[in-house]
Amino acid sequence: MMTLQNALATAGSNSCLPTLPLSNTALVAEGGGQRGIFTAGVLDSWLYKGFNPFDLLIGTSAGAQNLSSYMACQKGFGQRSIMQLSKHSNFFKFHRALVGRSAVDLDWYFSQVEQHEHNLNVDCALTRLKARRLLFSATKVSDRRAEFFEPKADNWLTMLKASSALPILYKKGVKIGQEYYVDGGLSAPLPVEEAYRRGAKKIIAIRTVPKDFSAQSPWAHKLKSWVCNSNRCPKVIDLITHHENAYQKTLSFIDNPPEGVQVIQVFPEKSLSSSLVGSSYESLNKDYTMGVNMGLAFLKQHSSSMVAPSAQHHR
């Protein structure tokens, strides 16, 4: 594997120029907590190459955060957010859940994202979305149905928070309108089916687990290992069952897509070193570099077939 410096040198330093989207072409990004640093590496390599042919982008949890920085054209934003904010001692303290508080402090996290040092350039993202749609998945608490929100200038971070609110570990969820919502990964862990329902014929899915991983989601079982020691195990097992059913349904769709639909996966070549939370800096750096390399490998194989005709004409 190339070093990070060599990988980014290979990617180049292309400025983030507007690109023409291809019709019916979608990008879907899985969640996974700090494992999302792999996705950050993939997308940064694409930003360095000025590659964004997608007319529909759908993200879940950490995937939604990574797609936000991708559309804002902020290279390194996802990496910094994971390595600085999600590693901060204020972000995760499990003992808080034992006294009725949120183990994962998303309020603190997104208050930092609003500050200049970590600021997400929403205005830039909205400008680049004029020819595209960006959706975040979240799970409605009342019926556990997945819903897909289109972020606007005045609610972008709220929608991200809803998509990222791990059940049990973050209060009762995020209130939007009259409903509460939790992590989109509960009901739409990898929303390729939603991309298909919205007309996508070519779907690129960035995963945070290896291609052959299909048995159990690390997201849900990490939650089980934490919470089953605090007398909430029946509820957690119920959540895991719901999540696993959704995950298996998605994998079946990927393995057997409808006629005329192509699903291309970008995935780690082996299990990531990082975890949902609590990853070492060494693990995070390693997984980010792997993401950059896998992003470049994808471009080498597929980028020539994913250029809008008018853009190709002017090359």
Side-chain angles (χ1 to χ4, degrees):
M1 180 181 289
M2 289 189 289
T3 66
L4 178 58
Q5 290 76 14
N6 288 339
L8 292 180
T10 300
S13 56
N14 195 10
S15 60
C16 195
L17 301 174
T19 56
L20 294 173
L22 283 171
S23 298
N24 307 318
T25 303
L27 174 62
V28 173
E30 186 174 31
Q34 290 179 342
R35 290 185 184 91
I37 201 158
F38 170 82
T39 304
V42 172
L43 295 178
D44 278 353
S45 75
W46 293 357
L47 284 176
Y48 273 94
K49 285 291 190 179
F51 178 78
N52 185 349
F54 309 103
D55 69 345
L56 174 64
L57 304 95
I58 310 178
T60 292
S61 194
Q65 296 182 47
N66 276 314
L67 290 184
S68 294
S69 58
Y70 182 53
M71 287 312 307
C73 209
Q74 289 178 270
K75 305 178 189 75
F77 181 93
Q79 180 193 27
R80 289 192 301 274
S81 296
I82 291 172
M83 296 193 72
Q84 296 177 15
L85 298 183
S86 77
K87 283 282 292 175
H88 197 282
S89 59
N90 287 344
F91 179 65
F92 176 75
K93 294 179 181 177
F94 182 71
H95 69 81
R96 290 191 298 230
L98 304 179
V99 292
R101 297 167 58 200
S102 296
V104 174
D105 193 343
L106 289 179
D107 299 329
W108 173 84
Y109 181 95
F110 283 105
S111 73
Q112 300 303 302
V113 174
E114 289 182 305
Q115 295 181 17
H116 176 71
E117 182 182 358
H118 304 286
N119 185 254
L120 179 68
N121 192 341
V122 171
D123 290 339
C124 178
L126 289 170
T127 298
R128 294 175 59 78
L129 280 169
K130 288 180 179 178
R132 297 172 167 84
R133 293 191 71 188
L134 173 64
L135 303 172
F136 302 153
S137 73
T139 301
K140 189 192 296 184
V141 172
S142 61
D143 60 11
R144 293 185 187 168
R145 290 182 180 272
E147 292 199 11
F148 296 86
F149 294 102
E150 192 165 0
K152 306 297 182 185
D154 61 348
N155 65 13
W156 198 295
L157 296 185
T158 299
M159 299 304 179
L160 277 182
K161 187 187 293 186
S163 185
S164 306
L166 282 168
I168 299 177
L169 298 183
Y170 178 74
K171 300 180 180 179
K172 55 185 175 182
V174 176
K175 191 173 184 181
I176 299 175
Q178 299 303 310
E179 298 282 349
Y180 282 90
Y181 292 86
V182 294
D183 197 299
L186 180 62
S187 297
L190 185 63
V192 291
E193 296 149 296
E194 184 65 21
Y196 167 67
R197 283 191 286 269
R198 292 176 183 263
K201 299 300 182 184
K202 176 174 281 191
I203 304 169
I204 311 305
I206 305 178
R207 301 185 64 186
T208 52
V209 291
K211 183 179 181 179
D212 59 356
F213 185 97
S214 61
Q216 299 174 330
S217 165
W219 174 94
H221 289 271
K222 188 68 172 179
L223 184 64
K224 178 182 177 181
S225 70
W226 286 333
V227 181
C228 274
N229 292 324
S230 59
N231 299 318
R232 298 183 186 178
C233 204
K235 182 176 181 180
V236 172
I237 291 174
D238 186 36
L239 291 174
I240 289 173
T241 300
H242 178 82
H243 170 81
E244 296 294 359
N245 288 340
Y247 205 80
Q248 293 299 327
K249 183 180 177 184
T250 294
L251 294 178
S252 295
F253 179 93
I254 291 173
D255 289 339
N256 299 283
E259 185 176 353
V261 175
Q262 181 184 21
V263 181
I264 303 172
Q265 299 182 73
V266 182
F267 47 83
E269 53 194 359
K270 59 182 179 180
S271 295
L272 296 176
S273 300
S274 50
S275 305
L276 190 68
V277 294
S279 310
S280 68
Y281 288 111
E282 180 183 5
S283 294
L284 293 170
N285 275 317
K286 182 178 178 181
D287 291 343
Y288 177 77
T289 303
M290 187 193 299
V292 170
N293 280 286
M294 297 309 294
L296 294 176
F298 173 89
L299 292 180
K300 185 175 182 179
Q301 184 175 356
H302 297 286
S303 62
S304 62
S305 65
M306 299 185 67
V307 179
S310 57
Q312 211 165 29
H313 177 73
H314 290 294
R315 281 187 164 187

